[in-house]
Amino acid sequence: MNKLFFFNINKKVFFFLMVAFCTVIKAQCIPYTGQVMTTGNTYCLNGNLSVGTTIDIPFGATLVIQSGQLQSVNIGVNGILDIGDGASVRSTGSITIGTFGSQQNSKVKLGTKSFLSLTGSVSQGDPTFMGAFPGTTSTIDMGTSSVVEICGTFSQQSTTYPSVNYVGLPTGKAYCIAKADVSGGGPGSVISNDSQIVAIAMGPVSALGAGGSSFCGPNATSATCPSLWPEGLSNDKSSCGNAPTIIDDMDGVCTKPGTSGTPDGYTKLGITIQQKSASWPENIPNGFMAMEAKDKGFVITRVAHVSQTPQPGDAIADPKEGMLLYDIQDKCVKLYNGTEWKCVQKSCND
């Protein structure tokens, strides 16, 4: 009897273990290569991918851009499009987010310093049927220093909730920029209630309020709202692709003049492909080695990819503290500090 009871307990444990195992398997990311996505699955992209057909993310499915850039034509987002930190999506077509009256949640989410840039339009479909079926939303959630650049039109159906939300650091901001006509669903329709969202409408605006956003428009230019206008955004409404420059300029990097006074020494070693000057490189202070050329660049070691925390399979198997390289996938110069690989970024020279 005791043995039978023990067997029954084991069957229950085995059942729960199998459920947990299946849940873990289902939760794993499926590498995204442009294939048709199905409900209930999560797909992940690491690196760059160009898809020449319409991308459809169905209800209950998630596409995560973990790193790199996804290039596409039209995108239909009924599930979730998650653009991770530093990643991006470029589209030569349009994006629809949500379906009117579907009562299903849909979302485009941007991480820190990520961007969505498209030459076409963005259309937000309200799943609540203009508030008749409350409880679901179709939104764009923006992280710190992220940018949505819509070179076509922007249209919003929802009247009971904002379509753009800020989910980044309280001290940060994000830019939502529409370069053509902007329209809403009518009274009660607002783009955002978050002041960290800087909404810039470079064309006409109809039936859509600013809400609590930091709003510049309609027909915005750098002259009409200089305090909100980001560096890197062209006044030319036909100019598309400003998003990466805007992100770079959002860092707020400070610069200070170099220290004056007598140098500690002068450079003794130089490499040049130009005619040697008698005073060069001895006229360059505080250097170990100087190199010069009028039409040549200095290329450091280029590798496919190294993870922030070193992983098996990385291009560098045994990194050394102080090692420097260019990561082709992440498109930045990286320095290994003994623990992590980090992109070399501008900072204040205190």
Side-chain angles (χ1 to χ4, degrees):
M1 190 70 180
N2 288 338
K3 289 183 179 179
L4 182 60
F5 178 73
F6 180 75
F7 176 71
N8 286 337
I9 293 295
N10 274 351
K11 282 202 299 183
K12 291 179 181 178
V13 172
F14 178 77
F15 171 77
F16 286 119
L17 286 174
M18 287 300 295
V19 169
F21 176 77
C22 291
T23 301
V24 169
I25 293 298
K26 191 173 183 179
Q28 289 179 343
C29 264
I30 301 170
Y32 181 65
T33 58
Q35 73 269 39
V36 174
M37 286 175 270
T38 57
T39 298
N41 287 321
T42 298
Y43 301 83
C44 293
L45 173 64
N46 279 289
N48 301 323
L49 176 67
S50 181
V51 178
T53 57
T54 296
I55 296 174
D56 286 310
I57 306 174
F59 292 118
T62 300
L63 173 58
V64 184
I65 315 301
Q66 295 178 321
S67 65
Q69 183 174 103
L70 172 65
Q71 297 188 29
S72 70
V73 284
N74 300 320
I75 305 176
V77 183
N78 280 318
I80 298 174
L81 173 60
D82 188 342
I83 308 172
D85 295 350
S88 57
V89 172
R90 288 183 183 269
S91 172
T92 57
S94 299
I95 290 182
T96 57
I97 308 169
T99 299
F100 186 72
S102 66
Q103 301 182 61
Q104 299 271 2
N105 290 316
S106 303
K107 181 185 296 184
V108 173
K109 182 180 178 183
L110 290 92
T112 300
K113 294 185 178 180
S114 65
F115 72 82
L116 167 65
S117 177
L118 60 157
T119 58
S121 62
V122 169
S123 301
Q124 182 255 356
D126 182 15
T128 72
F129 201 86
M130 307 293 281
F133 306 112
T136 52
T137 59
S138 170
T139 60
I140 300 174
D141 291 355
M142 302 187 67
T144 310
S145 300
S146 62
V147 174
V148 170
E149 180 188 22
I150 308 164
C151 300
T153 60
F154 173 79
S155 58
Q156 173 183 316
Q157 288 182 337
S158 66
T159 59
T160 57
Y161 62 89
S163 63
V164 180
N165 301 312
Y166 182 75
V167 295
L169 296 174
T171 55
K173 60 183 174 182
Y175 285 96
C176 184
I177 302 163
K179 299 187 176 182
D181 294 11
V182 171
S183 61
S189 184
V190 298
I191 188 168
S192 180
N193 280 330
D194 298 320
S195 61
Q196 296 96 332
I197 295 293
V198 182
I200 295 179
M202 297 175 68
V205 178
S206 61
L208 182 64
S213 67
S214 301
F215 185 76
C216 177
N219 303 312
T221 66
S222 58
T224 58
C225 51
S227 62
L228 295 178
W229 198 266
E231 293 185 44
L233 176 59
S234 171
N235 278 294
D236 181 1
K237 292 193 290 185
S238 65
S239 172
C240 198
N242 299 156
T245 306
I246 294 170
I247 290 175
D248 288 342
D249 290 335
M250 266 199 285
D251 288 336
V253 176
C254 63
T255 56
K256 298 179 180 178
T259 303
S260 60
T262 304
D264 292 337
Y266 290 86
T267 307
K268 300 295 184 184
L269 176 62
I271 301 174
T272 181
I273 60 172
Q274 304 183 65
Q275 185 174 352
K276 173 70 169 66
S277 168
S279 61
W280 187 90
E282 290 85 354
N283 60 350
I284 299 178
N286 298 326
F288 172 74
M289 181 175 67
M291 293 185 291
E292 66 174 9
K294 286 185 176 180
D295 57 358
K296 298 293 187 295
F298 172 60
V299 181
I300 65 173
T301 302
R302 301 166 71 248
V303 302
H305 179 60
V306 287
S307 307
Q308 182 172 337
T309 301
Q311 302 291 329
D314 279 354
I316 304 296
D318 185 21
K320 305 300 180 184
E321 185 176 355
M323 187 175 285
L324 199 66
L325 54 79
Y326 180 79
D327 189 310
I328 295 172
Q329 175 178 302
D330 291 347
K331 299 185 183 301
C332 70
V333 175
K334 287 186 175 180
L335 173 71
Y336 186 66
N337 63 10
T339 305
E340 295 180 318
W341 286 104
K342 291 194 172 183
C343 292
V344 175
Q345 297 177 324
K346 296 182 291 183
S347 64
C348 201
N349 61 347
D350 284 326

